[in-house]
Amino acid sequence: MHDLGEPVNQTFRVDLRGIVDLLSHHLYTSPQVYARELLQNAVDAITALRQDGAADPRTPRIEISSGDANGDGSLTIGDNGIGLSETQVHELLATIGRSSKRDDLGFARHEFMGQFGIGLLSCFMVSDAIEVTTRRAGEPTVLWRGRADGSYAVEPAPADGQRAETGTTVTLRPRPGCEHLLTRRAVTALVSHYGARLPHPVTVDGEPVTGGPAPWDRPDGEGAAERRARLEAYCEEVFGFAPFDVVDVATAEAGLRGVAFVLPMPANPAVPAAHRVYLKQMLLSEGAERLLPEWAFFVRCVVDTAELRPTASREALYEDSLLEATRDALGDQLRGWLVRLSKQEPARLRAFLRVHHLGVKALALHDDDMLRLVADFWPMETNVGPLTLAEFTDRYGLLRFTPLLDEFRQLAPVAAAQGLAVVNAGYVYDAELIDRFATVERKSEVEQLRAADLTTHLQRLETADELALAPFMAVADRVLARLGCDLLVRSFEPSGLPSLYLLDDDTAFQLDLRGTRDQVDDTWSAILGSFQAAAEPRPRLVLNHRNPLARQVLSLTDPELQATCLEGLYVQALLLGHHPLRPADTAALNQSFLGLIGRAVSGAAQ
């Protein structure tokens, strides 16, 4: 037995069956990726032959025979690429994680698709054995047999397996339950899906599956209108929508070229946009995320890249500094498209903003060009009609806004009647955009209008009128105290509005805090009490002295009728302001409604 005190260097033992299970259940999403990995190896072999510097007049080709064509259910894929010597077969095919694209073989890795040396293992998901017949220039043909139990054998190819030209042929025999993945129909579908845009001819049972221009291509002789029609048809077929617009995108650093399709309908910004990404013209992913900035959720892209790195499964992009720089560059190009649209086709920009204003407003929060675009072209809701920020400031000078939708609803008609123009900044990003607009455009003065501030713009009564109302105010204080509300009497337009309920955000918070403290235990009540203001704020019910009904109520002398009418006006003001009714408010509604009916019935009976 070894002395545990002495370190001994040993090598890990690898259970290949466990590795295959790991690949099939955790690395790759489906056994169908075997077709992609075989195509990748074939394309890289052809690329390596060209990189090797040897003149070769042959046309590169990849030929696949399905289980239907071979008659025994097996699949073969052959290429006329560089091939492998016996030494490379031992070194590369039998070593997990070792890639034939390593720099030590003299080839620049960025020219190749594969980087991890595990692609061939994906074939074990559909076959218990892999046969590779390969020949390198000046070397004999070699036969390598690998089995899923981790064993392999290398021998000279038999006479009927000799290759006349350099290249490689891979043969798979289906494992039980996987026969359907090697049929002509399945293989054609898989190869078309992954490799239809490859630059080399690929055939399945003699039928070509590659050809035709890729979305990012610009064939000679194709006009702009013809290309646009082709791209729109592609978008409908692949993404399922007719694009609002088509934008060409490219970044030299990532070797990326492609097309961005603008959605014609609203997109959910919380759902990451999925893009179709090719790596050296081989489909990498149909659902690649984070290719574009988060604000560009209104775009779907199809791109081909030569330099962005795939993950080990080759089903997503690796997050690194190059992908981050590419994301920023593509975002700049989409922003440039928006700016061009604003200058050349403002009507189309307005149509775009009606659908995708959220994304542009999100970008405008940190981009001055987009901020000006929003300010010039996006109409915001105001109490004097839809106006852009630029139009509003040009017309009124002071940019007055309220940051809450409910506050705007209760303030808008009253403020308009007093000659106060107010912007509704209660929608997503609007308040932040107004603040930033005031910072960037220093000529714009901004004022936030809250419910409590509106009373300063309402006309006070004459001193004699206020003294005459003193008896009514005493009754009103007792009635409204039960409802946690104060009473003001002011004269304002519109005269048809008898009452107005004013509740700002701070007061609403304090009311909610007080109600919550009454429902929790002492510990939580003490904690919440630390947030409570020293002076208890209360909402205000404002009666309009210009309204005939309000003046009649103010002139009542019967205390009971005063209380009933006051409760009715209070509840009506709550409903007009879209405020929720508390149990006490509902009780006041019932009491005032039934009380007034009782009074009416009694009067009629007399």
Side-chain angles (χ1 to χ4, degrees), residues 30 140 171 315 342 349 356 367 375 383 400 448 490 496 547 555 600:
S30 165
T171 302
E315 296 176 352
S342 68
L349 177 63
H356 298 300
D367 185 278
N383 64 341
R400 185 181 287 110
Q448 186 176 138
R490 293 288 187 268
N547 179 266
S555 64

Side-chain angles (χ1 to χ4, degrees), residues 86-106:
E86 181 178 353
T87 300
Q88 290 172 335
V89 166
H90 282 285
E91 183 180 6
L92 302 173
L93 296 186
T95 305
I96 296 174
R98 184 67 183 271
S99 172
S100 61
K101 295 83 176 178
R102 299 298 186 188
D103 292 338
D104 58 5
L105 292 182

